Amino acid sequence: MQIHHIHSRVTETEADAIAVGVFEDGPLGEAAAAVDGALGGAIRNLQERKEFTGRCYEMAPLLVSVGRARQVLLVGLGKRDKFDAGSAFRTASAAARHLAGKPRAAVALFLDEGWPAEWTENGVCGAITGCEGQDLYRAEKSRHPFGTLAWSSGDNETIVKGEAIAKGRILGDAMNLTRRLVNEPADEIYPETLAERAAEMAGRNGIEVDIWDQPRLEAERCGALLAVAKGSSRPPRIVVLRYHGAAKGAPTLAIVGKGVTFDSGGLSLKTPEGMFTMKCDKAGASTMVGAMQAIAQLKLPINVLGIAGLVENMTGPAAMKLGDVLRARNGKTIEVHNTDAEGRLVLADLLSLVVEWKVAKIVDLATLTGACVVALGTEVAGVMTNNQPWCDAVTAAARRQGEPIWQLPMYPEIYDELIKSEVADMKNVGDGRWGGAITAAKLLEQFVGNTPWAHIDIAGPAFRDKPKPWSDAGASGQFVRTLVQLARDWQP
Ligand code: BES
Ligand code: MN
Ligand code: ZN
């Protein structure tokens, strides 16, 4: 899909279909007013009759001609003072998603009337993600990327906006890469193939890549990750990506991703309902891969180490068993009480490694616990930390990108004892199911030492069972933008 910036008035557009933003309150914007004028007051008339109010994500397709366009989509932008970077992403995505329901040669979006450049990035990014759905294997696609997408922004800062559009495209492509990796099923994407996909991405973008196979993982004593892999016929991998945007030896940001390519639960088997969407359990790793691509394409002046632990959690004859005691990379022992609490085992070895490699700060992403979804619902990620300023930086990055996140507490005097084991240094589940998102984070905390660390539990937002106005069901790509923002804000 070609994307370019236009200055022309909405009534002079060359596009076949256009989308025009309308706020719920206040006067019509420039484009909406021009369309209203060309249509003899039609928009204000619709608003007066409450047929179209401008509520956020409300859509009104008008089969009328304006300029060359034969279709005008009115897009609700909601209340003016509530509009932010997240709204820019979601409204543009909703508009594109609607128009992408049919093949179209040329589409123009008139949503941005002097938005800050960051919102334009988000809007373009949203438009790109809105054109792609989860129908990877359908003969009859439900979304069709446009031949060309024209982005209008009512002002004449051509250079600034041109760059914002190029950056938005990078973000959108990165989110779609992440979404595709998550949406592809477990027989297509398993540890070896996900490692290959990551290596291909790295090759295209000048990122250094190192893949550890099973013998290497054994030699490196990644006992916790290897234990999870034992039940599967698919051998595990660790992928290490190194992007050098700053001086050699400059402080490094580590992005750590859970890459369980399928989570059956292992011998603590999931129910069919619980298992059905578990191809999504590689979302942490896929988010890391997408973010690394964007960080490299944006040429950010930072050193980033991306690492993913890739395993399949299955029930094969050699599967790890309840009561097994594992020895993680850093020497700590873990007693297995539930083989379905496998993500924390994978992350334990990854976190040990990046701490050994003396990275400056760590952020990990994992579809780690159903408990986090119970606590915060499906759209909000949980964040837990050993270092409040670093957590604040992560939260600020997420807020700036409009990706909802909420911190959960880590009180040592309350939660530490819940993962104590009678036979090993710790057990892999909490005492009872209460506070499950936090007891999982408590295990991770055992592997990060004093390195500032923030853990983002994306079990809810990574994958949608149902569509939203701005997104098809399936993988969301959420938190790719937050990671990129974090790299942009980097102050070691
Ligand atoms: N991958 C799951 C968590 C998950 C649940 C992700 C729902 C996305 C949607 C994780 O490995 C898991 O199974 N966690 C268990 C932990 C329990 C056994 C302590 C859970 O949440 O039930
Ligand atoms: Mn599990
Ligand atoms: Zn899992």
Side-chain angles (χ1 to χ4, degrees):
M1 188 163 74
Q2 286 211 5
I3 307 177
H4 61 274
H5 184 220
I6 49 163
H7 283 301
S8 55
R9 286 168 197 285
V10 67
T11 46
E12 290 155 15
T13 178
E14 304 276 314
D16 317 310
I18 61 176
V20 176
V22 180
F23 281 109
E24 196 175 345
D25 50 351
L28 294 175
E30 196 184 305
V35 171
D36 191 53
L39 299 177
I43 299 181
R44 269 179 297 175
N45 192 280
L46 285 171
Q47 281 188 311
E48 269 157 34
R49 289 187 289 124
K50 304 250 186 308
E51 286 287 349
F52 176 81
T53 61
R55 249 189 2 259
C56 215
Y57 318 123
E58 194 184 1
M59 302 277 155
L62 310 179
L63 299 175
V64 295
S65 300
V66 170
R68 286 256 196 89
R70 294 289 171 271
Q71 150 105 266
V72 177
L73 178 67
L74 304 182
V75 182
L77 302 178
K79 295 252 183 351
R80 266 167 210 278
D81 62 346
K82 290 276 180 312
F83 201 85
D84 61 12
S87 321
F89 171 80
R90 288 188 299 270
T91 51
S93 192
R97 178 168 180 261
H98 186 104
L99 291 171
K102 290 205 188 86
R104 294 178 202 280
V107 167
L109 299 185
F110 291 82
L111 305 171
D112 169 359
E113 296 186 339
W115 285 357
E118 283 185 29
W119 294 10
T120 303
E121 286 176 27
N122 272 310
V124 171
C125 174
I128 291 170
T129 57
C131 289
E132 199 166 298
Q134 61 170 346
D135 56 357
L136 298 169
Y137 299 91
R138 262 176 67 155
E140 229 172 276
K141 300 290 182 209
S142 51
R143 307 278 161 243
H144 309 268
F146 317 128
T148 67
L149 170 63
W151 183 269
S152 162
S153 54
D155 59 19
N156 49 21
E157 299 171 81
T158 322
I159 297 166
V160 177
K161 285 293 173 172
E163 272 177 24
I165 286 164
K167 288 177 186 170
R169 152 144 245 159
I170 289 174
L171 294 173
D173 288 345
M175 280 183 75
N176 278 349
L177 169 61
T178 297
R179 293 171 69 215
R180 225 169 301 134
L181 291 175
V182 174
N183 279 336
E184 284 191 49
D187 251 22
E188 194 65 40
I189 302 262
Y190 41 92
E192 288 164 286
T193 55
L194 185 46
E196 275 166 25
R197 299 290 189 95
E200 278 164 28
M201 183 288 289
R204 285 195 303 271
N205 293 287
I207 295 171
E208 200 181 303
V209 57
D210 201 5
I211 296 176
W212 291 7
D213 61 6
Q214 171 113 19
R216 178 79 189 267
L217 289 165
E218 281 160 11
E220 300 278 358
R221 307 179 319 282
C222 294
L225 181 148
L226 282 166
V228 179
K230 274 169 36 180
S232 170
S233 58
R234 311 279 197 194
R237 295 286 185 268
I238 280 182
V239 177
V240 186
L241 302 176
R242 289 188 181 84
Y243 165 70
H244 305 282
K248 232 189 165 85
T252 297
L253 166 66
I255 303 176
V256 178
K258 168 179 174 180
V260 175
T261 56
F262 186 72
D263 183 9
S264 73
L267 291 178
S268 310
L269 197 66
K270 289 184 182 294
T271 60
E273 299 77 53
M275 203 186 298
F276 178 65
T277 58
M278 279 303 131
K279 67 176 183 182
C280 85
D281 218 16
K282 55 187 170 350
S286 306
T287 307
M288 180 279 283
V289 171
M292 291 298 284
Q293 169 169 298
I295 288 167
Q297 292 182 354
L298 290 168
K299 302 191 167 56
L300 298 182
I302 174 181
N303 291 339
V304 188
L305 185 153
I307 185 169
L310 310 178
V311 295
E312 199 182 51
N313 189 23
M314 298 291 283
T315 58
M320 80 176 156
K321 303 167 190 76
L322 306 196
D324 281 359
V325 175
L326 322 176
R327 188 176 293 275
R329 162 81 184 184
N330 71 353
K332 292 195 185 185
T333 55
I334 310 170
E335 185 184 20
V336 176
H337 283 236
N338 189 318
T339 62
D340 198 11
E342 85 297 341
R344 61 201 78 182
L345 302 175
V346 174
L347 289 170
D349 283 334
L350 302 179
L351 293 169
S352 305
L353 283 167
V354 298
V355 167
E356 261 176 58
W357 296 338
K358 300 205 177 348
V359 301
K361 285 173 182 134
I362 307 171
V363 58
D364 82 64
L365 296 104
T367 44
L368 204 63
T369 67
C372 195
V373 193
V374 173
L376 299 175
T378 55
E379 287 295 317
V380 181
V383 60
M384 289 143 267
T385 190
N386 65 348
N387 181 293
Q388 197 55 42
W390 176 233
C391 184
D392 291 343
V394 171
T395 308
R399 189 142 307 145
R400 190 148 169 195
Q401 288 294 332
E403 298 191 306
I405 193 167
W406 203 258
Q407 188 177 0
L408 300 176
M410 291 282 275
Y411 298 109
E413 65 281 14
I414 294 176
Y415 300 111
D416 281 3
E417 64 187 48
L418 298 179
I419 57 167
K420 295 232 159 91
S421 156
E422 298 295 324
V423 293
D425 295 330
M426 67 198 88
K427 56 182 181 179
N428 80 328
V429 295
D431 230 4
R433 56 195 198 90
W434 307 122
I438 298 166
T439 49
K442 277 287 164 187
L443 186 140
L444 304 183
E445 192 183 27
Q446 295 292 312
F447 297 87
V448 294
N450 294 322
T451 310
W453 155 77
H455 154 62
I456 308 182
D457 192 329
I458 54 171
F463 195 89
R464 295 195 175 94
D465 294 332
K466 283 186 270 168
K468 291 279 181 189
W470 63 89
S471 157
D472 278 14
S476 70
Q478 213 140 248
F479 290 98
V480 169
R481 290 192 339 265
T482 293
L483 291 175
V484 176
Q485 186 66 48
L486 202 55
R488 282 174 154 181
D489 295 344
W490 181 242
Q491 281 165 344

